Structure formats: structure tokens, C-alpha cells
């Protein structure tokens, strides 16, 4: 039986898993350039993964609610996601001095996989 309330969290879990695999593959490839590069890719991709998971928990975790409450959860989730992403990127680049290109590469890989995962679910007929 299809449970529409479980579809959102299930999609978040599937997307986060795919992002983790892609970021790990990028980090493994960048390991040849140095451990700082691999760690930078993990930091950048990890920021997107953790932010996306946090967004999923905050935005989709409340069940059925009035429109104002649902919209408030969406906005809160979005703000929390981007706060985590920006703070992590700042710490990775400015404080830890990881290679910026590797950090941004991790972000790009995680975001591309996110778009592909969401487009693939829509194409398969799932909302």
C-alpha cells in the first residue's frame, strides 16, 4: 500500500545514500592528489548531505498540518540547511585550509546527484 506521508522521507533517504556514494567515489579519486583534497571533497559533499538530511527531517517530519505550519517547517528546514552548508564550507576553506577546488567539487557532485535522484523519481512516476 502506498503511504504518501512516507514517500518524502523515503526519497530523502534514497537521495542521501546516492549522494554519499558519489562523494565517496570523488574522495577516493582525489586521494591520488593528496589526503587534503579527499578530505575537502568529503567536507563539501558532506555539507550538502547533512544539510539535505536536516531539511528532510525538519520539513517533512511533522505529518499532516495546516498550511501555515507546513510552510513554516519548509522555511525552517531550508534556512537550517543553508546555515549548515555555509558554516561547513567556511570552516573547511577558511579555518581548516582545505583546497577550495576540492570542497566546491564535493558540493557540485552532491548537488548534481541530488538533482538526478529527484528527476529519476519523478520520471518513474513517483511524486
Amino acid at each position: 500500500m502506498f503511504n504518501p506521508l512516507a514517500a518524502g522521507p523515503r526519497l530523502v533517504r534514497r537521495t542521501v545514500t546516492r549522494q554519499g556514494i558519489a562523494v565517496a567515489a570523488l574522495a577516493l579519486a582525489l586521494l591520488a592528489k593528496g589526503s587534503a583534497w579527499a578530505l575537502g571533497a568529503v567536507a563539501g559533499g558532506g555539507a550538502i548531505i547533512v544539510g539535505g538530511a536536516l531539511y528532510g527531517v525538519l520539513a517533512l517530519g511533522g505529518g499532516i498540518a495546516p498550511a501555515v505550519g507546513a510552510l513554516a517547517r519548509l522555511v525552517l528546514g531550508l534556512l537550517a540547511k543553508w546555515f549548515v552548508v555555509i558554516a561547513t564550507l567556511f570552516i573547511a576553506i577558511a579555518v581548516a585550509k582545505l583546497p577550495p577546488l576540492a570542497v566546491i567539487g564535493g558540493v557540485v557532485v552532491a548537488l548534481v546527484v541530488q538533482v538526478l535522484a529527484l528527476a529519476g523519481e519523478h520520471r518513474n512516476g513517483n511524486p
Side-chain angles (χ1 to χ4, degrees):
M1 183 172 175
F2 180 70
N3 180 359
L5 293 178
R10 193 171 45 244
L11 179 60
V12 170
R13 282 192 304 274
R14 210 172 309 142
T15 302
V16 165
T17 303
R18 291 175 185 172
Q19 286 175 317
I21 292 168
V23 169
L26 175 65
L28 192 59
L30 287 178
L31 197 55
K33 188 127 173 96
S35 61
W37 283 76
L39 190 58
V42 169
I48 298 296
I49 293 169
V50 170
L54 180 63
Y55 173 77
V57 167
L58 292 175
L60 302 174
I64 298 173
V68 173
L71 183 61
R73 284 196 323 258
L74 287 172
V75 171
L76 176 66
L78 190 63
L79 290 174
K81 172 185 179 172
W82 286 109
F83 176 77
V84 167
V85 169
I86 291 169
T88 305
L89 294 182
F90 175 77
I91 291 169
I93 294 172
V95 177
K97 304 288 188 210
L98 295 174
L101 190 59
V103 175
I104 300 301
V107 168
V108 168
V109 165
L111 288 175
V112 166
V113 169
Q114 178 181 350
V115 168
L116 292 175
L118 294 175
E121 293 303 314
H122 181 67
R123 183 184 62 229
N124 292 333
N126 296 329

